Amino acid sequence: MALEDAKTQVDQAFTRAEARGLSFENTFGGATSFLRRRYTKDLAGAQIAVTGIPFDQAVTNRPGTRFGPRAIREASTLQAFDAPYGWGYDPFSELAIVDYGDMPFDYANVPEVPGRIEAHLGAIFGAGVVPITLGGDHFITLPILRAAAAKHGKIALVQFDAHSDTWADDDMDRIDHGTFLYKAIKSGVVKAENTVSVGIRTDNPDTLGVTIVDAPSVHREGVEATLERIRAVVGDKPCYITFDIDGLDPAFAPGTGTPVWGGLASWQAAELLRGLKGINLIGGDVVEVSPPYDPTGVTAIAGAHVATELIALAGWGLREGAA
């Protein structure tokens, strides 16, 4: 296939026959699945599934992350006709990657949402498929981690974020984007000693033993030193990556609910994700993309690239496992 196929390819989200292969339909038209992957609720034969959780409930400042999955999918059309740069392989041609669509839920019945998220992701994990989730506010990561732990046991975690999200909150029924990691550790689904938070640049009185690699440390010490610290923490344990888009500096991602200056540059994030080749990645998410606050779309573009890097990283592990 080549770019000339745009004259015949359209709506590849529905019309493509295979889960593998690049897509060359016009970026400005057609149904906007993530990277023009096939929409399907049938996970048979799939290895990686992209899914959306269009949920925001109680954010610190600016709502709108419920529109994140839609915006990220639209932004991803710019990337669908080429393999992700810098990996040395094409995950979209080698692996069966599908778009599992969004999780349905009743917007007026918020208390049932955590259970629905856990069941939705549990179906993906249960099928032996690696989920890459588009959010949504950062709360969604907590029930995702519960689903992951049900499959893999206690897991390691890499968090890219401006905030540690370990503020004390012992009411496990509260739905709060700022306490997901506190509850994940307290409920035993992730191991604090195998958790590292990268890009942090706000204070929190208790980080519960999580390794903090704050943004100034990344800037001073560089990418390679940061990668060494991350690898030392997660080792070879089953690992999940959650990427809050406000881990990036607002210059690179202004469309988020809680922007904080002094953050990671997009090139640093790209190098860090690519540099984690070989970790035992069982899933990942990108959250907090809030399109209403970024008319340029650059935040959604960043989110689409993060999700693509997570796919490439998960695919690298699948390839190694098959070797």
Side-chain angles (χ1 to χ4, degrees):
M1 295 191 297
L3 288 175
E4 62 200 37
D5 293 323
K7 64 188 178 186
T8 57
Q9 285 190 1
V10 70
D11 296 328
Q12 289 280 285
F14 303 110
T15 61
R16 66 182 304 137
E18 302 292 335
R20 292 174 173 83
L22 298 171
S23 178
F24 296 94
E25 66 180 280
N26 289 320
T27 59
F28 49 82
T32 53
S33 62
F34 188 77
L35 291 171
R36 309 290 193 179
R37 311 320 299 167
R38 184 174 64 196
Y39 268 123
T40 182
K41 296 298 184 184
D42 182 2
L43 294 174
Q47 294 169 283
I48 298 174
V50 178
T51 191
I53 309 292
F55 175 80
D56 61 352
Q57 189 266 331
V59 294
T60 304
N61 184 27
R62 304 187 296 185
T65 58
R66 65 187 63 187
F67 298 109
R70 180 182 297 173
I72 291 170
R73 284 189 175 99
E74 181 177 354
S76 77
T77 61
L78 293 166
Q79 303 164 238
F81 45 78
D82 200 6
Y85 182 78
W87 284 91
Y89 87 108
D90 177 8
F92 307 110
S93 295
E94 292 191 26
L95 303 168
I97 303 168
V98 301
D99 192 323
Y100 194 58
D102 285 351
M103 184 195 80
F105 64 94
D106 180 354
Y107 69 89
N109 193 350
V110 174
E112 77 166 14
V113 170
R116 292 186 71 92
I117 296 173
E118 188 171 347
H120 182 77
L121 270 296
I124 301 175
F125 282 115
V129 177
V130 177
I132 304 298
T133 304
L134 315 176
D137 74 40
H138 216 157
F139 164 78
I140 72 167
T141 303
L142 176 59
I144 293 173
L145 292 173
R146 288 173 176 158
K151 173 71 173 180
H152 296 281
K154 286 186 178 182
I155 57 177
L157 179 71
V158 180
Q159 173 195 11
F160 291 87
D161 210 325
H163 315 87
S164 65
D165 290 341
T166 55
W167 283 276
D169 181 5
D170 291 307
D171 182 350
M172 293 297 171
D173 292 327
R174 288 188 71 252
I175 297 173
D176 189 332
H177 76 295
T179 63
F180 91 89
L181 186 50
Y182 179 92
K183 292 177 180 178
I185 293 171
K186 290 292 186 178
S187 59
V189 297
V190 302
K191 296 181 178 181
E193 63 269 30
N194 299 124
T195 297
V196 55
S197 298
V198 183
I200 304 300
R201 49 197 188 277
T202 53
D203 288 328
N204 190 326
D206 187 359
T207 55
L208 303 180
V210 170
T211 298
I212 302 296
V213 184
D214 64 13
S217 295
V218 178
H219 300 325
R220 285 194 307 266
E221 299 172 14
V223 168
E224 291 304 321
T226 302
L227 286 169
E228 288 181 13
R229 295 184 67 183
I230 295 172
R231 289 183 176 279
V233 172
V234 303
D236 60 358
K237 297 173 179 60
C239 181
Y240 187 90
I241 293 178
T242 180
F243 198 113
D244 188 328
I245 207 68
D246 71 27
L248 299 180
D249 189 86
F252 300 92
T256 188
T258 48
V260 184
W261 77 336
L264 302 179
S266 58
W267 71 265
Q268 290 173 312
E271 288 294 294
L272 289 169
L273 290 170
R274 292 168 194 165
L276 289 174
K277 285 179 183 176
I279 68 168
N280 184 11
L281 187 69
I282 60 168
D285 64 52
V286 54
V287 298
E288 303 279 0
V289 172
S290 190
Y293 302 97
D294 178 12
T296 71
V298 68
T299 309
I301 292 171
H305 277 280
V306 169
T308 301
E309 297 298 309
L310 291 174
I311 287 173
L313 182 55
W316 188 270
L318 292 170
R319 293 169 81 238
E320 292 293 297

